[in-house]
Short mmCIF file of all heavy atoms in Angstrom, two decimals:
data_model
loop_
_atom_site.label_atom_id
_atom_site.label_comp_id
_atom_site.label_asym_id
_atom_site.label_seq_id
_atom_site.Cartn_x
_atom_site.Cartn_y
_atom_site.Cartn_z
N PRO C 579 -59.34 -1.71 -76.56
CA PRO C 579 -58.22 -2.67 -76.67
C PRO C 579 -57.56 -2.72 -78.05
O PRO C 579 -56.35 -2.92 -78.15
CB PRO C 579 -58.86 -4.00 -76.32
CG PRO C 579 -59.97 -3.64 -75.37
CD PRO C 579 -60.50 -2.33 -75.86
N LYS C 580 -58.34 -2.47 -79.11
CA LYS C 580 -57.79 -2.53 -80.47
C LYS C 580 -56.75 -1.43 -80.70
O LYS C 580 -55.94 -1.50 -81.63
CB LYS C 580 -58.91 -2.38 -81.49
CG LYS C 580 -59.53 -1.01 -81.53
CD LYS C 580 -60.69 -0.87 -82.50
CE LYS C 580 -61.18 0.56 -82.66
NZ LYS C 580 -61.40 1.30 -81.39
N ASP C 581 -56.75 -0.38 -79.85
CA ASP C 581 -55.85 0.76 -80.03
C ASP C 581 -54.59 0.65 -79.19
O ASP C 581 -53.77 1.59 -79.17
CB ASP C 581 -56.60 2.04 -79.70
CG ASP C 581 -57.81 2.24 -80.58
OD1 ASP C 581 -57.62 2.42 -81.80
OD2 ASP C 581 -58.95 2.17 -80.04
N VAL C 582 -54.43 -0.47 -78.49
CA VAL C 582 -53.24 -0.70 -77.67
C VAL C 582 -52.37 -1.74 -78.38
O VAL C 582 -52.87 -2.70 -78.96
CB VAL C 582 -53.65 -1.21 -76.26
CG1 VAL C 582 -52.40 -1.38 -75.38
CG2 VAL C 582 -54.62 -0.26 -75.61
N CYS C 583 -51.06 -1.51 -78.36
CA CYS C 583 -50.12 -2.46 -79.01
C CYS C 583 -50.38 -2.59 -80.51
O CYS C 583 -50.21 -3.65 -81.09
CB CYS C 583 -50.17 -3.85 -78.37
SG CYS C 583 -49.36 -3.94 -76.76
N THR C 584 -50.78 -1.48 -81.16
CA THR C 584 -50.93 -1.55 -82.61
C THR C 584 -49.57 -1.73 -83.25
O THR C 584 -48.53 -1.46 -82.65
CB THR C 584 -51.56 -0.24 -83.16
OG1 THR C 584 -50.65 0.82 -82.91
CG2 THR C 584 -52.90 0.06 -82.50
N SER C 585 -49.56 -2.18 -84.50
CA SER C 585 -48.29 -2.41 -85.18
C SER C 585 -47.53 -1.09 -85.32
O SER C 585 -46.29 -1.04 -85.21
CB SER C 585 -48.52 -3.04 -86.54
OG SER C 585 -49.40 -2.27 -87.32
N GLU C 586 -48.27 0.03 -85.50
CA GLU C 586 -47.61 1.34 -85.62
C GLU C 586 -46.94 1.74 -84.30
O GLU C 586 -45.83 2.25 -84.29
CB GLU C 586 -48.63 2.42 -86.01
CG GLU C 586 -49.24 2.26 -87.39
CD GLU C 586 -50.44 1.31 -87.42
OE1 GLU C 586 -50.81 0.76 -86.36
OE2 GLU C 586 -51.00 1.12 -88.53
N ASN C 587 -47.62 1.48 -83.21
CA ASN C 587 -47.06 1.83 -81.90
C ASN C 587 -45.81 1.01 -81.61
O ASN C 587 -44.81 1.52 -81.10
CB ASN C 587 -48.10 1.61 -80.80
CG ASN C 587 -49.28 2.57 -80.92
OD1 ASN C 587 -49.31 3.43 -81.79
ND2 ASN C 587 -50.26 2.41 -80.06
N GLN C 588 -45.88 -0.27 -81.93
CA GLN C 588 -44.73 -1.13 -81.69
C GLN C 588 -43.54 -0.77 -82.58
O GLN C 588 -42.39 -0.83 -82.17
CB GLN C 588 -45.10 -2.60 -81.90
CG GLN C 588 -46.10 -3.09 -80.83
CD GLN C 588 -46.36 -4.58 -80.95
OE1 GLN C 588 -45.44 -5.39 -80.79
NE2 GLN C 588 -47.60 -4.95 -81.24
N GLU C 589 -43.84 -0.32 -83.77
CA GLU C 589 -42.77 0.13 -84.69
C GLU C 589 -42.13 1.41 -84.17
O GLU C 589 -40.92 1.59 -84.29
CB GLU C 589 -43.34 0.36 -86.10
CG GLU C 589 -42.31 0.83 -87.14
CD GLU C 589 -41.10 -0.11 -87.28
OE1 GLU C 589 -41.24 -1.33 -87.12
OE2 GLU C 589 -40.00 0.43 -87.57
N LEU C 590 -42.93 2.28 -83.55
CA LEU C 590 -42.36 3.49 -82.95
C LEU C 590 -41.43 3.16 -81.78
O LEU C 590 -40.40 3.83 -81.63
CB LEU C 590 -43.48 4.44 -82.48
CG LEU C 590 -42.98 5.83 -82.03
CD1 LEU C 590 -42.34 6.61 -83.16
CD2 LEU C 590 -44.13 6.63 -81.38
N ALA C 591 -41.74 2.13 -81.04
CA ALA C 591 -40.85 1.70 -79.95
C ALA C 591 -39.51 1.23 -80.52
O ALA C 591 -38.43 1.53 -79.98
CB ALA C 591 -41.50 0.58 -79.14
N ARG C 592 -39.56 0.51 -81.64
CA ARG C 592 -38.35 0.05 -82.30
C ARG C 592 -37.53 1.22 -82.88
O ARG C 592 -36.33 1.30 -82.71
CB ARG C 592 -38.71 -0.94 -83.41
CG ARG C 592 -37.54 -1.53 -84.19
CD ARG C 592 -38.05 -2.61 -85.13
NE ARG C 592 -37.02 -3.22 -85.93
CZ ARG C 592 -37.19 -4.33 -86.67
NH1 ARG C 592 -38.38 -4.95 -86.66
NH2 ARG C 592 -36.20 -4.83 -87.38
N GLU C 593 -38.25 2.16 -83.49
CA GLU C 593 -37.61 3.33 -84.09
C GLU C 593 -36.96 4.19 -83.02
O GLU C 593 -35.87 4.75 -83.21
CB GLU C 593 -38.65 4.14 -84.90
CG GLU C 593 -38.14 5.47 -85.46
CD GLU C 593 -36.99 5.32 -86.46
OE1 GLU C 593 -36.77 4.23 -86.99
OE2 GLU C 593 -36.30 6.34 -86.69
N THR C 594 -37.63 4.31 -81.86
CA THR C 594 -37.04 5.10 -80.75
C THR C 594 -35.74 4.49 -80.29
O THR C 594 -34.74 5.21 -80.06
CB THR C 594 -38.05 5.18 -79.58
OG1 THR C 594 -39.29 5.75 -80.06
CG2 THR C 594 -37.52 6.02 -78.46
N ALA C 595 -35.72 3.18 -80.12
CA ALA C 595 -34.48 2.51 -79.71
C ALA C 595 -33.39 2.72 -80.75
O ALA C 595 -32.22 3.00 -80.41
CB ALA C 595 -34.75 1.03 -79.49
N ARG C 596 -33.71 2.60 -82.03
CA ARG C 596 -32.74 2.78 -83.11
C ARG C 596 -32.14 4.19 -83.02
O ARG C 596 -30.93 4.38 -83.16
CB ARG C 596 -33.40 2.63 -84.48
CG ARG C 596 -33.65 1.21 -84.89
CD ARG C 596 -33.99 1.11 -86.38
NE ARG C 596 -35.26 1.69 -86.70
CZ ARG C 596 -36.27 1.00 -87.29
NH1 ARG C 596 -36.14 -0.26 -87.58
NH2 ARG C 596 -37.41 1.60 -87.57
N GLN C 597 -33.00 5.19 -82.83
CA GLN C 597 -32.54 6.58 -82.79
C GLN C 597 -31.68 6.90 -81.58
O GLN C 597 -30.88 7.80 -81.58
CB GLN C 597 -33.72 7.56 -82.86
CG GLN C 597 -34.37 7.61 -84.21
CD GLN C 597 -35.19 8.88 -84.43
OE1 GLN C 597 -34.90 9.92 -83.85
NE2 GLN C 597 -36.21 8.79 -85.26
#
Side-chain angles (χ1 to χ4, degrees):
K580 70 183 187 313
D581 300 295
V582 183
C583 286
T584 64
S585 56
E586 294 85 0
N587 294 357
Q588 292 187 63
E589 180 55 33
L590 187 65
R592 181 174 179 168
E593 174 62 18
T594 303
R596 283 194 291 238
Q597 287 200 28

